[in-house]
Amino acid sequence: MSRLIVISNRVSAPKGEAGAQGGLAVAFAAALREHKGLWFGWSGEPTDRFTGEIDYQDVRGVCTATIDLEDQDIEEYYNGYANRTLWPLFHFRVDLAEFERDFAQGYQRVNERFADTVRPLIEDDDLVWVQDYHLIPLGEELRKRELRNRLGFFLHIPWPPRHLLASLPHARELVSTMFAYDVIGFHTTEWLEAFLDYALGEMGADLLDDGTIRLGDRTVRAISCPIGIDTAEFVAAASSPQARLAYRRMKDSSDGRDLIVGVDRLDYSKGLEERFAGYERFLEEHEESRKEVYLLQIAPPSRGDVETYQRIRATLDGLSGRINGAHADLDWVPIRYVNRGFPRAVLAGVYRAARIGLVTPLRDGMNLVAKEYVAAQDPEDPGVLILSRFAGAALQMTDAVLVNPHSAEELSDAIELALKMPRDERVARWRALMDGVERQDVIWWRKRFTDALARSDQSWEDAPAAAAE
Ligand code: GDG
């Protein structure tokens, strides 16, 4: 069996507590144990001078290898090109995207450093799987270093429409590096088709009869491969003692009111401002039921070094304060807004206590919270998932109440509909959603991708000159 080498910006080793590190770590950990592989990435730590020294750890049978990066690398590659250029642009926010030559250079430099450092660790038969937008050109850099292995890439965020991507300086060069891979994966057919549109329409690539895409003498297979959660683990977490306690705490503090829950990294792509506005519309339009509900929004801060993230935080502080000030009563506050993270089992208990899961990103590659909310429900008395049409998850989760997150009216109507939904309909919708969450879990996702990669043609063996170009 080939070894699996996973390369991502950050590495999160599985900790003692099951699932403490989230779905990706769970998916990779199982595969890395099975394949005796390696997980390579940035430690998250700075260093004065980049040395390429690797810190190896063996955590419960999973081998991780991490490197430290210089402050300038972190600023230009991670905070810069990844999170101030690509992230906003790929989430359709060209208005927030910053195009700086230094960012692009730092991004390229770190990808080269990753390639230099990881290349000697890769053996001939290894399957190599690169993750996400931080590392798009890594495949090309590995090919330049004579890597002929099967090489895959998975994008966890949306692929933007062709004309939006055209606003990125040197977009064609960036996209051409994706042809160094054998297989590239997207969460949905929508992102896959947008990629195809760019590759065929903008770059003159050809779609071949066998479904691969050719550019010059390179071909790549692009697949849609929707990520799932570790459903079995999450279902178990939802009935753990920690979850039961959290469930009880929510029920006790609800005073008979229905809980609406949102859980999101604090990020402008998650549509939190619009969500608060939609909820406020509901409070205004439904005088009779407004005090029967409350919204708990959990939003742990992320990427706090980036100014747009500081701004969204300040905006939401103001908005939640204003809504609470305007609508609260002596014994009722409409929004509980919490800027910190909680253990997964606690989240599972909170999801289970919630009559509505409000998941309304403006744009999201997939969205795992929607799936976690479904997995945590009581089958006898499940809550209702309200889901943005613009999350990748909406293509699979068609039995949710689907909404346009930009429309306060639609959000308000959806909340009303969900609160009034009869039990039979809640159970029927939940059953259909849960079937999908169980069938297409994170292990299914990982296998679907690595199977496609293992089946891909090894054309690099015959074309070392092209590979080294
Ligand atoms: C990217 C893409 C794609 C959140 N708060 C807490 C907490 N979380 C966990 C959730 C969930 C994860 O973080 C968030 O995953 P999402 O998928 O919702 O969003 P991103 O972080 O933006 O992820 C996304 C994903 O990659 C995978 O490909 O679905 O589209 O943007 O698991 O539960 N976890 C804990 N405490 C918290 O307070 N423990």
Side-chain angles (χ1 to χ4, degrees), residues 19-24 87 91 132 154-158 187 227-229 234 263-265 267 269-270 298-300 303 340-345 347 351 359 363-370 372 392 445:
Q21 298 295 300
L24 270 193
W87 177 274
H91 286 85
D132 227 1
F154 191 84
L155 185 70
H156 290 265
I157 63 176
H187 283 311
I227 199 168
I229 60 166
F234 211 81
V263 176
D264 308 77
R265 264 187 320 100
D267 192 300
S269 68
K270 302 295 182 184
I298 296 176
R303 303 175 194 169
R340 52 171 277 224
F342 293 89
R344 279 172 75 70
L347 281 190
Y351 289 143
V359 184
R363 209 55 73 168
D364 220 331
M366 171 54 65
N367 193 295
L368 296 178
V369 171
E372 291 165 0
W445 167 77

